[in-house]
Amino acid sequence: MPNNTEIFIDSIHNPKYQEIFKKADVDFTKYNKRQAIVGNLMLADYMGISIDELLHGDLFNYGKHGKPSLKSNQFKYNISNSYDLVILAVSDQEVGIDIEKLRPFTYKRITRAFTDNELNYLSQLSPEEDGDETLKLWTIKEAALKLVGTGLAGKVKSVDIDVDTKESATRLNCKIKLTDIEVADGYVGTLATYDD
């Protein structure tokens, strides 16, 4: 883990959130609203402020593609979620983080997201390895794009992963350091930071 970077993980099934979900009238058959609520509550808890202050205070600036940052510059952060889990990365440097729940998948569904080198790497894998590795590479690409502030609008294929180590990537001549995140059983995750 890069110096001065902390990772926090929580579940939408944590009992402490259930009453909040009911008050917010969430649809329990969907994940998105519950994930957003948990992410905001995790950030508010980290900052030691109320959720109301987080949501209605004038605390954030927003980048060209909507990436929030604290006006105070007190710290940098990024949030990701997938199915049951929400993850918050807090650091003294810019960060991007992404997690994915492992599930049946194949790179053949999203070939346009990968460079020729990445496609060659994925095509060499067994069908058992293909899905997990495709999702791992996806977390790398999304974490890198969240780091640079574009999100998926930044063209997934523009992130070129060193598939031999999965410890670095480049995007438009910018070097990105990748750290594998131990999330939970059945999940993969990546933290992206600028390579000094």
Side-chain angles (χ1 to χ4, degrees):
M1 195 67 51
N3 289 346
N4 303 318
T5 300
E6 297 177 276
I7 302 289
F8 304 93
I9 301 169
D10 210 339
S11 168
I12 61 173
H13 299 298
N14 185 327
K16 73 180 186 179
Y17 301 126
Q18 303 317 303
E19 281 304 312
I20 297 165
F21 295 157
K22 287 177 188 164
K23 285 181 186 167
D25 197 28
V26 302
D27 178 348
F28 279 84
T29 65
K30 296 190 169 50
Y31 290 94
N32 292 1
K33 191 161 185 184
R34 290 182 290 162
Q35 293 165 338
I37 289 169
V38 171
N40 283 329
L41 287 167
M42 290 170 70
L43 183 59
D45 284 351
Y46 181 83
M47 295 175 72
I49 62 174
S50 70
I51 190 68
D52 192 55
E53 188 177 348
L54 181 83
L55 296 177
H56 304 296
D58 188 22
L59 305 176
F60 299 97
N61 288 320
Y62 295 89
K64 180 179 170 187
H65 297 279
K67 182 179 180 181
S69 62
L70 287 171
K71 287 182 178 179
S72 69
N73 245 347
Q74 183 181 353
F75 58 86
K76 309 292 185 188
Y77 76 96
N78 199 231
I79 299 172
S80 179
N81 55 63
S82 182
Y83 290 80
D84 299 337
L85 296 185
V86 180
I87 189 166
L88 166 67
V90 177
S91 185
D92 61 357
Q93 62 182 308
E94 288 292 342
V95 291
I97 197 161
D98 190 57
I99 59 172
E100 286 291 336
K101 182 177 178 139
L102 296 174
R103 56 198 186 274
F105 206 81
T106 176
Y107 72 92
K108 294 171 184 160
R109 290 177 54 191
I110 54 171
T111 54
R112 70 189 181 289
F114 297 109
T115 65
D116 290 344
N117 189 43
E118 293 158 357
L119 286 171
N120 183 52
Y121 166 74
L122 290 167
S123 71
Q124 306 294 316
L125 300 175
S126 70
E128 297 78 35
E129 297 170 307
D130 169 17
D132 291 0
E133 202 60 16
T134 298
L135 290 167
K136 178 59 184 175
L137 294 189
W138 181 264
T139 69
I140 290 172
K141 287 177 175 278
E142 193 161 350
L145 292 172
K146 289 171 77 178
L147 169 70
V148 300
T150 64
L152 294 178
K155 297 194 172 111
V156 179
K157 195 172 187 172
S158 69
V159 177
D160 187 11
I161 302 166
D162 176 352
V163 291
D164 293 329
T165 66
K166 294 183 218 76
E167 293 177 0
S168 66
T170 55
R171 180 177 185 271
L172 308 176
N173 297 318
C174 175
K175 291 188 177 214
I176 297 169
K177 181 180 178 190
L178 307 168
T179 304
D180 186 53
I181 301 296
E182 294 289 327
V183 183
D185 280 347
Y187 285 81
V188 289
T190 301
L191 177 76
T193 53
Y194 288 111
D195 195 0
D196 299 331

